[in-house]
Amino acid sequence: MLDPDALPESAEELRQLVLKQRAALAERDGIIERLKTQLTWLRRQQFGRSSEKLEREIAQLELQLEDLEETSSARRAADEPGRSITRVGRRPLPDHLPREEIVHELACTCPDCGGPMRRLGEDTSEMLEYVPESFRVARHVRPKLAYSRCDRIVQSDAPSRPIARGLAGRGLLAHVLVAKYADHLPLYRQSEIYAREGVALERSTLADWVGSTSALLQPLVEALAKETLKAGKLYADDTPVPVLAPGHGRTRTGRLWVYVCDDRPAGGGAPPSALFRYSADRKGERPQDHLRTFRGFLQADGYAGYSRLYGNEIVEVACWAHARRKFHDVYVDKGSELAQEALERIGVLEELQRWLDASLRRVPGRSELAAAIRYARSRWAQLCRYRDDGRLEIDNSAAERALRGVALGRKNWLFAGSDAGGQRAAAIYSLIETCKLNGIDPEAYLRHVLTVIADHPINRVSELLPWNLRDKLGSNPSGA
């Protein structure tokens, strides 16, 4: 997307920039077409035989295509907000689906003189909608009224759509997003499921919807980030994400980071939130960039990349769950009596500190147990901060819980299709996990937000954050 504030001043430089962007778009479109051709060929090879390797290749191509098409749609939506993504020659909506007729009536009096108007006709349009467990077609009817004396014809405005002139209703878009990012169903699998219900939705169509919808929601995600980083205490963690390496037929390792604000255990009244960020690697500069505006306590594991953050403005709080886990692993793997004793002593800090110092002299310096002891002792002050400050917690479990959905998703979708796909996943994960923390059904939340966000003032987008809609949407204790 071209940044209006960074455009060159000369016409020739601007022309070259536009040509370069067009070439990049053409190259991406070419890649999409080549992948479609390759996928068609692989499916023909699949006919009549079963091959786990072939199935995996097809799944990889499906996910890569999803990602490229979502990215193309997201960029088009950002560059051309009013542009329709409607495909030429799209299929009519199935006749067997129930229709819900929504009539947009107007007052039957002339807006000029107040005289009675007669019905002239009507315009109708259809959108494919989804309510829990079923499809239906929302048929919007807009009667036309005429008054001959004033030569006036009036009609209500067409209802706004999340995607300009798009086929999908808000409920369907919310369902597709939640199915992909909360229920871990890739789009090609969703397409197969919908086909069994008699609704033909191609993977490429679903990818268009995901890309355009994620672009629409991006200002809301950034508002969530701003609010989360205002907190005086955050929990942080990260997890690896396999990412397809185009042209190599293998994956590389990206990273999803999560920063959780949840002060409820300490009796705080601030609403909880979870901010996910994606990066192509695990360099220490990534959390430094994510947390550049944060000031307060940061509770995380012992990853060295966090160490550059700590100082006067960000105070390190270590995690006893990570320290304990190292002793637990030695006990499970080696049956070490010393490791078992460490587990039993945790909770009596002064006694444990003396015991760790004495035990370190009794074990081999290069052993796993010695490493576990050194990990705990090198962070002793940070591990004990929770004891001295009632606002702090003993461990980093809040961040680890927020990453459970990612771990489950990896088993289903196997990998992200690209770095852009990882960034898109981080954005939607942020909204879904924040809904769960606030006891809100993510699908109901997204359905409501997609109903209003296109017409909502951008400078008031924070009004649509999950906790601000809890009273309107109702509470769902499970958050599922």
Side-chain angles (χ1 to χ4, degrees):
M1 181 173 67
L2 296 177
D3 181 359
D5 298 326
L7 292 176
E9 295 183 1
S10 76
E12 178 58 26
E13 288 178 323
L14 182 59
R15 189 178 76 87
Q16 292 298 326
L17 185 62
V18 171
L19 290 174
K20 183 177 179 181
Q21 187 178 54
R22 284 180 179 174
L25 290 172
E27 181 182 4
R28 185 166 58 246
D29 290 343
I31 293 173
I32 289 174
E33 291 307 315
R34 287 197 297 275
L35 286 173
K36 286 180 177 178
T37 301
Q38 188 177 357
L39 185 57
T40 301
W41 182 85
L42 282 172
R43 283 175 173 157
R44 285 201 299 267
Q45 302 304 306
Q46 186 186 30
F47 182 75
R49 65 189 182 93
S50 176
S51 166
E52 184 177 338
K53 182 178 179 181
L54 196 58
E55 292 281 355
R56 184 175 178 82
E57 285 185 48
I58 290 174
Q60 285 182 340
L61 286 176
E62 292 277 14
L63 289 171
Q64 196 170 356
L65 272 170
E66 282 180 21
D67 207 277
L68 285 168
E69 289 168 335
E70 287 173 13
T71 301
S72 293
S73 184
R75 289 181 178 172
R76 286 196 301 268
D79 290 340
E80 307 170 57
R83 177 187 175 276
S84 169
I85 64 162
T86 303
R87 296 177 178 273
V88 176
R90 72 182 182 196
R91 297 184 181 93
L93 293 175
D95 292 334
H96 73 274
L97 294 180
R99 255 75 177 165
E100 176 189 10
E101 191 163 284
I102 304 165
V103 181
H104 302 268
E105 293 281 11
L106 286 170
C108 297
T109 56
C110 177
D112 294 335
C113 70
M117 303 189 79
R118 63 181 178 84
R119 190 165 184 136
L120 184 65
E122 63 186 28
D123 287 336
T124 64
S125 61
E126 292 190 336
M127 296 173 66
L128 184 62
E129 219 6 312
Y130 186 89
V131 295
E133 306 304 328
S134 65
F135 283 100
R136 66 180 56 184
V137 176
R139 188 168 185 264
H140 292 267
V141 180
R142 296 185 297 126
K144 291 181 180 179
L145 301 177
Y147 187 49
S148 58
R149 180 176 298 178
C150 295
D151 195 26
R152 282 297 301 268
I153 297 175
V154 297
Q155 185 179 35
S156 64
D157 293 334
S160 63
R161 302 182 181 221
I163 301 173
R165 297 182 293 281
L167 172 71
R170 291 91 172 168
L172 179 54
L173 292 173
H175 180 71
V176 170
L177 287 176
V178 170
K180 179 177 173 73
Y181 293 108
D183 299 331
H184 323 300
L185 284 173
L187 299 184
Y188 75 92
R189 291 184 185 168
Q190 290 192 51
S191 178
E192 294 167 354
I193 292 169
Y194 302 149
R196 291 198 296 270
E197 298 183 39
V199 179
L201 294 174
E202 301 295 334
R203 181 213 61 252
S204 56
T205 300
L206 297 174
D208 270 346
W209 294 349
V210 171
S212 295
T213 306
S214 65
L216 182 65
L217 293 171
Q218 193 57 39
L220 184 57
V221 175
E222 292 313 310
L224 174 64
K226 185 177 180 180
E227 291 299 318
T228 301
L229 296 176
K230 282 182 183 177
K233 178 183 69 178
L234 288 181
Y235 306 92
D237 206 353
D238 67 284
T239 192
V241 179
V243 182
L244 280 177
H248 298 286
R250 59 178 182 270
T251 61
R252 53 187 172 82
T253 301
R255 214 79 190 177
L256 270 175
W257 310 76
V258 67
Y259 305 99
V260 175
C261 164
D262 190 352
D263 210 26
R264 291 174 297 177
S273 61
L275 173 64
F276 286 78
R277 294 300 197 198
Y278 169 84
S279 64
D281 52 50
R282 204 193 184 203
K283 294 179 180 178
E285 62 200 59
R286 306 308 181 194
Q288 293 172 49
D289 179 57
H290 302 157
L291 299 174
R292 62 184 179 277
T293 63
F294 172 68
R295 303 291 181 268
F297 294 100
L298 181 66
Q299 188 157 25
D301 60 22
Y303 168 54
Y306 294 124
S307 61
R308 300 178 195 172
L309 289 164
Y310 301 132
N312 294 330
E313 295 181 325
I314 298 181
V315 179
E316 179 183 8
V317 182
C319 171
W320 266 110
H322 285 86
R324 182 184 183 281
R325 191 173 301 142
K326 294 180 181 296
F327 290 105
H328 179 266
D329 290 346
V330 174
Y331 172 66
V332 171
D333 294 342
K334 313 290 185 183
S336 167
E337 293 183 2
L338 279 175
Q340 181 182 17
E341 190 172 351
L343 294 173
E344 293 170 352
R345 288 176 181 270
I346 287 176
V348 187
L349 293 180
E350 286 79 5
E351 179 185 346
L352 176 61
Q353 181 182 11
R354 290 191 296 270
W355 180 86
L356 288 174
D357 290 339
S359 297
L360 186 58
R361 295 189 290 269
R362 296 164 51 194
V363 300
R366 296 186 179 181
S367 67
E368 293 178 10
L369 183 55
I373 294 174
R374 285 193 293 269
Y375 180 93
R377 287 299 287 119
S378 65
R379 295 167 177 81
W380 194 254
Q382 296 88 339
L383 284 168
C384 294
R385 283 209 167 101
Y386 81 94
R387 176 194 60 186
D388 304 321
D389 191 325
R391 296 170 296 172
L392 307 179
E393 296 300 313
I394 192 171
D395 60 36
N396 196 33
S397 298
E400 293 191 353
R401 285 193 298 270
L403 287 173
R404 284 177 185 169
V406 178
L408 289 172
R410 277 197 302 256
K411 296 178 181 179
N412 283 13
W413 43 256
L414 306 178
F415 36 69
S418 69
D419 290 336
Q423 291 163 359
R424 195 159 40 248
I428 305 303
Y429 277 140
S430 297
L431 296 176
I432 288 175
E433 190 61 34
T434 298
C435 283
K436 292 179 180 178
L437 287 172
N438 285 273
I440 296 171
D441 174 9
E443 189 165 331
Y445 169 75
L446 288 171
R447 187 185 308 119
H448 174 78
V449 166
L450 291 171
T451 300
V452 301
I453 194 169
D455 301 318
H456 198 83
I458 189 68
N459 62 341
R460 289 166 42 204
V461 72
S462 61
E463 295 173 356
L464 302 180
L465 290 170
W467 54 84
N468 290 329
L469 297 176
R470 185 164 40 206
D471 291 342
K472 181 183 291 291
L473 297 175
S475 177
N476 178 5
S478 69

